[in-house]
Amino acid sequence: MIRQHPLLQPYTPSSDEPFDEVKAAHLLNRAGFGGRPDEIERVMKLGPQDAVDWLMDFPDAPADEESKTDQPDLSPVEGYPKNFRELREKLANKTPEERKALQQMLMQANREALVQVVGWWMKRMASGPFPLQEKLTLFWHGHFTTSAKDERAALLMWQQNELLRRQSAGNFREFVRQISRDPAMLDYLNNQQNKKAHPNENYARELMELFTLGIGNYTEDDIKQAARALTGWGHDGQDFVFRRFDHDDGEKQFMGRRGNFEGDDVIDIILENKACAPYIAGKLFRSFAYDVPEDGVVESLGAQLRDAKWELRPVLRTILTSKAFYQPRAVGVQIKSPIQLVVGTVRLLDLEFPQPQRLANPLNLMGQVPMMPPNVKGWPGGRMWINTSTLFVRYNTAVFLAGGAMPDSGDRLGKSFFGGKFKGPSQDRGDITGNFRPKNAAGSADELVDQWVGRLIQRPIDDEKKSVLREALGDDPNAASVRKMIQLIVSTPDYQLC
Amino acid sequence: MNDNLSTRRVFIQKGMTLLAVGATIPTFLDQTVMALANPFDTARTQKDSGKDGKILVVVQLSGGNDGLNTVVPFGDDAYHRARPTLGHDDKSVLKIDGYLGLHPNLAPVKNLLDKGDMAVVQGVGYPNPNRSHFRSMDIWQSGRPDQEVVTTGWLGRFFDNTCAGCDPHVGVAMGQQMPLAMRGERVSPLSFERPESYRYTGKDEGRYMKLNKIDLNASDAPAAPSTQPVGVAKPQAAGAKKKIEVTTPKEQLDFLHRTAMDAQVSSDDILRMTRGHNPTGYPPNEFGNGLRTVAAMIKGGLPTRVYYVSLGGFDTHAQERNRHDQLMTQFAAGVSAFWKDLEDQRNADRVMVMTFSEFGRRVEQNASGGTDHGAAAPMFLFGKHIKQGVIGDHPSLTQLDQGDLHYKIDFRSVYATILQNWLETPSKPILGQQFAPLNVVRA
């Protein structure tokens, strides 16, 4: 039994370290996508413990169980075949030209549906009822990665997204079992092709290398044996199927044990490996608090995860209420992911969420398109988000959201990250947030600077920068000059951090 | 598995479109660290980044290119036995000799071979091959398979060793990814996807520059930032206690200020050079655009020694044939258009192109019409100072290492060749030990 690390004990406010606006905003940034003044005030009133309880008070359920009306618009794929069997039937007795035409229509419809799913999800992040659940869904999407490229079905991507949401704070063992049966995952990592006669090792490898243990905690032979246990796990285009005749039920030697292991046995044995719990708990800590935790923090959290029989909520609660989480080194040290930047800007400026295809190209150029991770490792994050090129795109996109011009993205503007053309105004270069009028443009110039820096950056900035913003407002601030100042605030290095 | 009833309900109402079609999808690249050194050292005359210097262009084929279906040992029965449906027959390959041929779609590349501007290096790999994409790519990019933790690349160390004071233009990586290969301790090069997206478009550029502490008239250059990715401990000498590097909020701000300044400095230069450079022949995709932009920067005289371009999508576990055929077409079109462009601008003489992938693929095709992760594979070199032809012997197709080819030539010998005989710098400090260069570069 490892004793809890002192830095993981609960932070309790004191007169020296009060739970102030900066700390409340910090919690809302990390456990969500940023808080508006009313939300910050609410969190301050609740205090650090109750605020976390409030944020964690979401059902372990998919969005469409939370609300029957909250679903992506999937009309683009309406009427198309639902699974491989129907597809085969539809393609039978067709000429090659007819088949090709149908496949192209399907592909186009699927791409449109994908954009709807991505847009629906981002809108949920910005204005859904449970920001922490969406933040966790995004975290797990970067962990149990699946990409929509290769024309993966939008419906399967959405179904997986709902699985990530349902399990986001649930039981990790159950999570691994379910994701290992998820059709989009089985497809992405080729377990669909993993058969007794010809094993495909791709899923088995990533299951250990990226999803549970980290590299160096298994052998090449363990991968081969795990792949055998997972043979026959596939999908029919719609649901998980277990193909008995493709399954290898023979004896396997896996991580020093011998037996006729099945897929779930392999998962259980992996979770018994002592590397697993710290790997998962540490990744959560780094994502929600900061990189490079102090010695012993990860081990302590790992022990808690094992003791809690792989329930994720207690570990999350520990992280979000800990002394570590509120240390000065933790506040404002995280570089916002492109999704955090975009969704946060929409939230903090109280904007209507733009049409998803309008954001596709900027998100692509910033390096983070939801459902299109660069590879199975997900997004590396941290300083990896920033280079001379992405920094320009980040500034330009934030300025655009704050009522500025569409960022110059050349001739690719309006084309989708899924490569398709879109109905609707995607070619329109117009100013989607042209209606953005800052609501509070009243007050003295100094008050307005403080107000908007507080609202957007949520931490103090240096006096030199403040005076530049003060200048930008002019002597007689009006809506236009306030908007101009806001565009400058979101073009600061400070705004890139949370 | 818990069935999600309402999701199922929608599935039943709507439809599915999962298709195994080889559509053209943009390649999304990794994000990587980009901390720039010294933007004010604009003396573009240093020997090592002088605008007339020799240039290396690295083409990375990401995902594990199937070497056996790129340079095909069609004269070997074992090849056809291992690949009954995936193999290329002797009628379709572009024959180099009675044993080897290039993929049928590589005709433009074969022309370069025939006219003496290309060499094929066979069976390149390294001991104890790793079959993880990430680890093997790290190994190739770092050039240090012996080190577990690598934070610099072989080209990054070339920059460090030869021109620690160089401005970041010494290396340019096309794409959002700054590859590990280009990352140095003291010098970090540029990385961007397209020149047009490489500038600030807000209205008040003057105040923007003040807020980002960009002062183009500053005389004292800022210190080069660390290129350590946050959260990765620096490699320590054996026995030394591991030191944890903590990044503070202030250091993050400084990092952002420096990056903003560096971005401003180089944006103008590059836009000027690349606008209007639009020769015909480049394939209309990211790979083709990347090569075209590189050619424009070479023409414009950017003092760059190394350019880096990637072509992705080579992880062909299933239904490999169509995908690989398309990739070969793209590769051939891009490289041949690039080479013609360089010849037209009379710069081909000072450019060498090197291609690599993180590994080849298994000799035997799998049951999904694809191939799994393998080991050794061929590399291509293009240049006017190349000894034309095939270097080394083809690895045996029957004496295998867990189903994969044994390597014949260590990839670090290829790097040593390029470093010593092309970039004219000692290779041992960069590669950690001396590897014998291949006899492939001529004066």
Side-chain angles (χ1 to χ4, degrees):
Chain A
M1 185 87 186
I2 299 180
R3 274 189 51 202
Q4 187 175 56
H5 194 285
L7 280 169
L8 293 174
Q9 285 163 8
Y11 152 71
T12 42
S14 62
S15 52
D16 288 344
E17 290 179 70
F19 191 58
D20 55 11
E21 287 93 342
V22 172
K23 286 195 179 69
H26 170 63
L27 176 62
L28 285 164
N29 275 320
R30 301 298 180 84
F33 297 90
R36 289 186 285 261
D38 57 312
E39 294 164 320
I40 290 171
E41 200 176 318
R42 173 163 190 179
V43 162
M44 281 172 67
K45 273 191 190 134
L46 286 168
Q49 305 285 324
D50 290 353
V52 169
D53 288 341
W54 172 60
L55 288 165
M56 288 183 58
D57 184 21
F58 55 82
D60 292 332
D64 79 339
E65 265 172 40
E66 290 166 9
S67 158
K68 293 291 172 206
T69 54
D70 188 12
Q71 295 180 347
D73 173 13
L74 293 169
S75 56
V77 287
E78 204 148 357
Y80 284 106
K82 294 189 286 290
N83 52 40
F84 292 148
R85 187 178 47 76
E86 289 190 19
L87 183 64
R88 268 196 304 274
E89 281 168 12
K90 192 135 188 173
L91 290 174
N93 307 319
K94 292 271 198 304
T95 66
E97 291 74 30
E98 286 169 338
R99 284 163 177 248
K100 202 174 168 192
L102 178 67
Q103 291 196 331
Q104 275 175 349
M105 278 162 58
L106 278 163
M107 199 167 72
Q108 181 58 29
N110 191 49
R111 291 174 180 183
E112 289 183 26
L114 269 169
V115 173
Q116 294 303 325
V117 173
V118 168
W120 165 81
W121 186 17
M122 290 188 73
K123 203 169 167 179
R124 260 188 86 81
M125 296 178 198
S127 54
F130 307 118
L132 177 54
Q133 191 178 34
E134 299 307 322
K135 189 76 178 258
L136 282 162
T137 304
L138 181 59
F139 168 83
W140 291 115
H141 174 48
H143 181 76
F144 293 122
T145 48
T146 296
S147 167
K149 70 181 175 191
D150 302 325
E151 310 301 330
R152 203 142 283 113
L155 284 162
L156 296 187
M157 292 306 295
W158 177 46
Q159 182 173 276
Q160 183 186 77
N161 183 253
E162 290 280 47
L163 163 60
L164 301 178
R165 184 170 292 106
R166 183 170 75 228
Q167 285 296 328
S168 65
N171 185 282
F172 184 72
R173 182 191 305 271
E174 189 55 31
F175 205 165
V176 178
R177 288 179 178 207
Q178 292 194 20
I179 201 75
S180 301
R181 290 169 167 83
D182 178 74
M185 175 64 80
L186 292 165
D187 206 71
Y188 175 57
L189 290 181
N190 303 99
N191 211 68
Q192 177 78 343
Q193 290 100 16
N194 185 15
K195 295 169 183 173
K196 183 178 180 179
H198 296 273
N200 187 309
E201 297 167 5
N202 204 15
Y203 183 73
R205 178 187 302 276
E206 307 307 3
L207 173 65
M208 287 181 271
E209 177 176 337
L210 299 173
F211 297 168
T212 55
L213 295 175
I215 201 160
N217 294 301
Y218 52 86
T219 64
E220 284 288 318
D221 197 53
D222 288 332
I223 290 170
K224 289 194 165 66
Q225 300 301 314
R228 287 179 59 209
L230 289 161
T231 46
W233 289 35
H235 68 88
D236 63 2
Q238 186 171 5
D239 292 307
F240 171 70
V241 289
F242 176 69
R243 299 193 174 95
R244 199 155 36 99
F245 298 110
D246 288 330
H247 179 66
D248 178 352
D249 57 7
E251 188 180 77
K252 290 114 193 160
Q253 194 158 4
F254 179 66
M255 294 195 164
R257 296 193 215 183
R258 193 185 287 273
N260 292 58
F261 299 130
E262 302 295 323
D264 285 339
D265 300 323
V266 159
I267 290 167
D268 285 344
I269 294 170
I270 289 170
L271 264 63
E272 280 173 40
N273 186 311
K274 63 179 180 357
C276 185
Y279 179 75
I280 297 302
K283 191 162 175 175
L284 277 167
F285 185 90
R286 288 186 189 93
S287 177
F288 283 86
Y290 47 83
D291 288 328
V292 199
E294 290 83 351
D295 281 345
V297 165
V298 167
E299 291 73 14
S300 175
L301 282 169
Q304 186 186 8
L305 182 58
R306 286 184 78 123
D307 292 347
K309 300 198 166 20
W310 300 96
E311 289 296 325
L312 292 162
R313 270 175 198 274
V315 172
L316 272 168
R317 194 175 194 289
T318 298
I319 294 170
L320 295 174
T321 55
S322 66
K323 289 178 177 155
F325 184 76
Y326 288 105
Q327 290 183 99
R329 67 167 285 198
V331 180
V333 80
Q334 195 171 73
I335 294 176
K336 292 173 182 170
S337 72
I339 291 174
Q340 183 90 16
L341 183 74
V342 167
V343 171
T345 303
V346 169
R347 270 190 74 83
L348 298 180
L349 291 178
D350 228 345
L351 303 171
E352 285 284 314
F353 204 83
Q355 284 185 306
Q357 54 265 48
R358 307 304 297 271
L359 291 174
N361 204 40
L363 283 169
N364 181 21
L365 294 172
M366 287 186 276
Q368 192 181 35
V369 177
M371 303 201 175
M372 291 292 243
N375 57 47
V376 63
K377 212 173 181 176
W379 293 279
R383 285 194 184 183
M384 310 288 184
W385 291 127
I386 303 295
N387 60 46
T388 52
S389 169
T390 59
L391 191 58
F392 278 141
V393 183
R394 290 167 72 103
Y395 288 155
N396 295 342
T397 303
V399 168
F400 157 66
L401 289 171
M406 188 73 183
D408 174 19
S409 38
D411 54 0
R412 297 191 349 171
L413 180 73
K415 285 191 196 163
S416 149
F417 38 94
F418 300 115
K421 292 190 189 87
F422 287 91
K423 296 170 192 154
S426 59
Q427 299 294 330
D428 172 18
R429 273 173 170 271
D431 172 7
I432 62 153
T433 53
N435 60 352
F436 171 66
R437 296 279 179 272
K439 283 172 190 153
N440 31 344
S444 75
D446 286 329
E447 281 166 4
L448 282 166
V449 169
D450 285 342
Q451 221 173 72
W452 283 101
V453 167
R455 177 161 180 154
L456 294 170
I457 294 175
Q458 308 183 327
R459 295 178 312 279
I461 60 169
D462 70 37
D463 289 343
E464 205 182 312
K465 288 179 185 173
K466 264 172 120 167
S467 68
V468 174
L469 295 173
R470 169 75 186 73
E471 266 171 45
L473 269 180
D475 293 333
D476 186 18
N478 54 38
S481 67
V482 171
R483 183 161 83 166
K484 189 170 130 189
M485 175 188 69
I486 289 168
Q487 291 174 5
L488 284 168
I489 292 176
V490 298
S491 305
T492 55
D494 308 71
Y495 189 66
Q496 304 307 308
L497 300 170
C498 75
Chain B
M1 186 188 182
N2 290 339
D3 254 339
N4 171 353
L5 289 176
S6 48
T7 301
R8 283 191 51 84
R9 175 172 51 75
V10 175
F11 265 69
I12 290 157
Q13 284 168 4
K14 317 269 184 183
M16 62 78 67
T17 57
L18 188 103
L19 294 173
V21 289
T24 313
I25 299 294
T27 306
F28 295 93
L29 299 168
D30 284 329
Q31 279 298 309
T32 20
V33 74
M34 183 59 224
L36 290 176
N38 205 342
F40 296 118
D41 191 353
T42 47
R44 299 274 166 79
T45 52
Q46 305 114 315
K47 171 175 167 290
D48 288 309
S49 67
K51 60 191 210 173
D52 300 321
K54 288 179 181 171
I55 292 168
L56 172 68
V57 178
V58 175
V59 175
Q60 172 179 308
L61 308 177
S62 311
N65 178 33
D66 186 354
L68 283 170
N69 272 16
T70 304
V71 180
V72 182
F74 69 91
D76 198 325
D77 288 343
Y79 169 76
H80 299 286
R81 280 198 303 276
R83 299 187 164 199
T85 59
L86 202 54
H88 294 285
D89 59 32
D90 58 356
K91 289 182 202 67
S92 58
V93 296
L94 310 171
K95 287 180 189 155
I96 299 172
D97 53 33
Y99 181 81
L100 273 189
L102 295 180
H103 184 284
N105 295 5
L106 290 180
V109 170
K110 179 69 164 33
N111 290 341
L112 297 179
L113 183 72
D114 291 342
K115 77 178 209 181
D117 290 352
M118 172 186 176
V120 176
V121 188
Q122 300 207 84
V124 188
Y126 54 89
N128 304 314
N130 196 295
R131 291 168 184 81
S132 154
H133 290 293
F134 313 104
R135 179 65 189 143
S136 195
M137 189 54 97
D138 280 356
I139 286 170
W140 274 87
Q141 294 204 9
S142 67
R144 296 301 300 264
D146 50 320
Q147 287 183 347
E148 199 56 44
V149 181
V150 281
T151 53
T152 61
W154 71 287
L155 297 165
R157 292 192 300 276
F158 160 67
F159 303 141
D160 282 347
N161 282 12
T162 53
C163 52
C166 283
D167 71 80
H169 297 89
V170 69
V172 177
M174 298 307 302
Q176 295 175 338
Q177 177 179 31
M178 171 53 64
L180 173 67
M182 299 277 272
R183 243 183 270 159
E185 279 288 344
R186 293 184 291 280
V187 180
S188 266
L190 289 177
S191 136
F192 54 86
E193 197 191 20
R194 296 174 313 111
E196 295 78 21
S197 59
Y198 192 51
R199 65 191 185 94
Y200 180 69
T201 54
K203 282 199 183 101
D204 195 343
E205 201 179 25
R207 289 201 178 88
Y208 155 77
M209 283 172 45
K210 281 185 192 164
L211 289 166
N212 280 270
K213 303 193 187 289
I214 297 167
D215 182 356
L216 297 176
N217 300 316
S219 53
D220 54 333
S226 164
T227 55
Q228 294 288 325
V230 179
V232 174
K234 276 186 179 168
Q236 299 288 318
K241 194 176 179 325
K242 190 175 131 205
K243 185 170 163 274
I244 292 176
E245 295 209 344
V246 172
T247 303
T248 63
K250 170 151 190 328
E251 283 166 349
Q252 293 289 58
L253 271 182
D254 291 345
F255 163 75
L256 287 157
H257 287 137
R258 279 194 305 266
T259 309
M261 193 150 46
D262 295 340
Q264 192 70 24
V265 171
S266 64
S267 165
D268 281 354
D269 276 1
I270 288 168
L271 269 175
R272 185 170 40 76
M273 289 173 190
T274 53
R275 272 193 182 139
H277 182 78
N278 207 0
T280 54
Y282 284 101
N285 52 37
E286 290 193 16
F287 180 61
N289 290 338
L291 286 171
R292 181 167 50 82
T293 304
V294 169
M297 291 184 284
I298 290 172
K299 189 179 182 187
L302 206 68
T304 302
R305 299 297 310 271
V306 183
Y307 292 97
Y308 205 101
V309 181
S310 297
L311 175 61
F314 286 92
D315 195 15
T316 48
H317 284 279
Q319 276 94 43
E320 170 170 330
R321 186 39 95 62
N322 285 343
R323 165 87 78 89
H324 194 251
D325 287 354
Q326 283 179 8
L327 288 165
M328 289 291 104
T329 302
Q330 283 183 33
F331 171 78
V335 168
S336 59
F338 180 63
W339 200 248
K340 176 167 188 309
D341 193 352
L342 293 181
E343 285 179 334
D344 290 348
Q345 38 167 288
R346 295 170 194 276
N347 274 318
D349 199 44
R350 64 189 188 102
V351 175
M352 182 187 285
V353 179
M354 181 201 97
T355 73
F356 82 100
S357 192
E358 68 266 38
F359 39 62
R361 306 194 76 84
R362 200 145 295 168
V363 175
E364 193 180 350
Q365 70 179 72
N366 64 24
S368 331
T371 48
D372 292 322
H373 301 180
M379 294 173 73
F380 291 159
L381 296 172
F382 299 91
K384 296 286 181 191
H385 296 269
I386 292 288
K387 283 191 181 154
Q388 183 263 6
V390 178
I391 314 287
D393 299 326
H394 200 283
S396 166
L397 290 170
T398 49
Q399 291 180 328
L400 301 175
D401 168 21
Q402 300 175 61
D404 296 329
L405 301 176
H406 282 285
Y407 78 101
K408 291 271 188 179
I409 292 173
D410 195 301
F411 73 110
R412 290 165 292 182
S413 288
V414 181
Y415 290 179
T417 311
I418 289 168
L419 290 166
Q420 291 180 210
N421 300 348
W422 184 248
L423 297 173
E424 295 166 339
T425 192
S427 64
K428 192 179 171 187
I430 291 166
L431 300 174
Q433 48 181 304
Q434 183 61 53
F435 289 87
L438 309 171
N439 183 19
V440 64
V441 179
R442 54 184 176 78

